[in-house]
Amino acid sequence: MATVTATAHPNIALVKYWGKRDHSLNLPAVPSVSLTLDGFQTTTTVTWGAPVERVLFDGVELVEDPRVSRFLDRVAYPRPPCEVVTNNNFPTGAGLASSASGFAALALAASRAAGQELDQVELSILARQGSGSACRSIFGGFVAWDMGGRPDGRDDHARPLKGPDFWDVRMVVSVVEDGPKAVGSTAGMERSRASSPLWPAWLAMSPGMVKQAIGAIHARDLERLGTVMEQSTFAMHATMQTAVPPLLYWQPTTLAVLQQVFALRAQGIGAWATMDAGPQVKVLCEAADAETVASALAPVSLQVFVHSPGVGAHVVA
Ligand code: DP6
């Protein structure tokens, strides 16, 4: 019996992953780029070889969700019963990338508890099978997830672009609602693929957006990065909103926050918005502008958090 605790941070996609070419392995239909954040985190303890299999999520025992047990089978099979205790210090399932930090922390804690010493690429491949975006949270800072070509997904993993200290940017997170989302990402992306007439355009434009974002990161060009980030966000939401039936993740307050971001830009403050499969808005800006941005968003938000670039998944005990 071995017990290991690991921590991982969420990442926010700057160019979005939305769509799969293989569902069981979470192989993406498009490449993506992300920024791992500090502050928010998942901490997960795995005991490999427990009297009974048990998953405690934020203090509540999960009885009907087989996702964790299925994931542990990918770490090693056959395997003993395991105990998994996992805690998030931020709202779960509301478009704040909890599945990314969750499966990154679980991949690291479970593989170590099982006696495996996986390198970061192997961990990224493992985490991806729990939730696609989790493969990016293995690494800190700016991260790319290219599409591999192999059917078994062995060449389909994230890679680090630049570490958390490379560029002093901030992601200002405006929480406008804290409940769980109505349609999860997995089902939402499949509905978009199956029914949105914009899907072929989304597939065609994504590689170019990734290329632009990587160039902008290397040049520390926030305007170029923010512009392509917004384009990727609105293109992804266009595929959602033109699905049948439509997927509308926005709330009225989402639009109020977006208007504030556009008003800040009109005043000459470099702030760009992104949204995922939920109503929250995340705003990318230089560190020096973060307080101004946070103050402008506070009146139209439930809560505002300011995050710096964060480190990759790591073992804490
Ligand atoms: C909108 O990684 O949660 O946040 O692979 O089905 O678990 P599954 O989906 P998930 O999707 C994240 C989608 C997104 C965009 C992104 O993070 O790139």
Side-chain angles (χ1 to χ4, degrees):
M1 184 179 104
T3 299
V4 174
T5 301
T7 286
H9 297 292
N11 67 79
I12 300 298
L14 307 173
V15 177
K16 307 297 180 183
Y17 151 55
W18 193 250
K20 304 184 194 204
R21 62 179 199 281
D22 181 294
H23 285 263
S24 66
L25 292 169
N26 288 334
L27 304 182
V30 290
S32 56
V33 174
S34 62
L35 177 62
T36 302
L37 303 183
D38 73 353
F40 290 162
Q41 65 182 46
T42 302
T43 303
T44 300
T45 301
V46 176
T47 300
W48 196 265
V52 287
E53 184 112 329
R54 200 160 169 251
V55 181
L56 281 173
F57 192 93
D58 283 341
V60 178
E61 185 152 359
L62 289 189
V63 273
E64 273 171 21
D65 189 344
R67 257 179 118 187
V68 171
S69 293
R70 276 204 311 258
F71 183 79
L72 294 173
D73 291 344
R74 293 188 188 264
V75 177
Y77 193 84
R79 63 170 177 85
C82 298
E83 184 177 87
V84 176
V85 179
T86 187
N87 291 291
N88 284 336
N89 70 346
F90 60 100
T92 299
L96 291 174
S98 54
S99 68
S101 53
F103 280 102
L106 183 62
L108 180 54
S111 59
R112 283 289 175 90
Q116 302 169 8
E117 285 285 333
L118 304 184
D119 64 21
Q120 284 182 305
V121 164
E122 290 167 320
L123 279 171
S124 180
I125 290 169
L126 178 60
R128 187 202 71 227
Q129 296 171 60
S131 187
S133 56
C135 76
R136 300 183 308 228
S137 276
I138 296 298
F139 300 98
F142 296 88
V143 177
W145 178 15
D146 310 306
M147 289 167 57
R150 289 175 51 148
D152 64 3
R154 297 294 305 166
D155 57 351
D156 212 315
H157 53 81
R159 67 183 162 95
L161 291 171
K162 291 287 179 188
D165 298 329
F166 172 71
W167 192 3
D168 207 14
V169 294
R170 295 291 180 270
M171 196 64 92
V172 180
V173 178
S174 158
V175 176
V176 298
E177 223 181 69
D178 57 7
K181 56 192 160 198
V183 180
S185 297
T186 310
M189 57 180 82
E190 177 51 20
R191 191 190 297 176
S192 305
R193 183 201 65 76
S195 60
S196 169
L198 304 187
W199 193 252
W202 167 248
L203 296 184
M205 73 194 288
S206 290
M209 292 190 292
V210 161
K211 219 168 148 193
Q212 276 190 52
I214 292 175
I217 290 165
H218 283 279
R220 293 193 186 89
D221 184 337
L222 196 65
E223 181 165 5
R224 191 144 62 103
L225 182 59
T227 301
V228 73
M229 180 182 80
E230 279 189 357
Q231 188 185 29
S232 172
T233 296
F234 285 104
M236 177 181 74
H237 280 271
T239 73
M240 296 164 167
Q241 290 167 13
T242 50
V244 183
L247 285 158
L248 184 64
Y249 287 106
W250 302 350
Q251 294 293 327
T253 35
T254 307
L255 291 177
V257 175
L258 284 176
Q259 297 298 359
Q260 288 289 74
V261 174
F262 296 156
L264 282 166
R265 269 222 305 280
Q267 292 160 33
I269 294 164
W272 286 268
T274 187
M275 292 159 288
D276 293 290
Q280 331 302 357
V281 182
K282 300 105 186 182
V283 181
L284 184 67
C285 63
E286 295 281 1
D289 291 327
E291 277 316 309
T292 308
V293 172
S295 309
L297 302 189
V300 284
S301 309
L302 285 182
Q303 279 177 296
V304 177
F305 300 92
V306 178
H307 294 294
S308 307
V311 298
H314 55 281
V315 170
V316 291

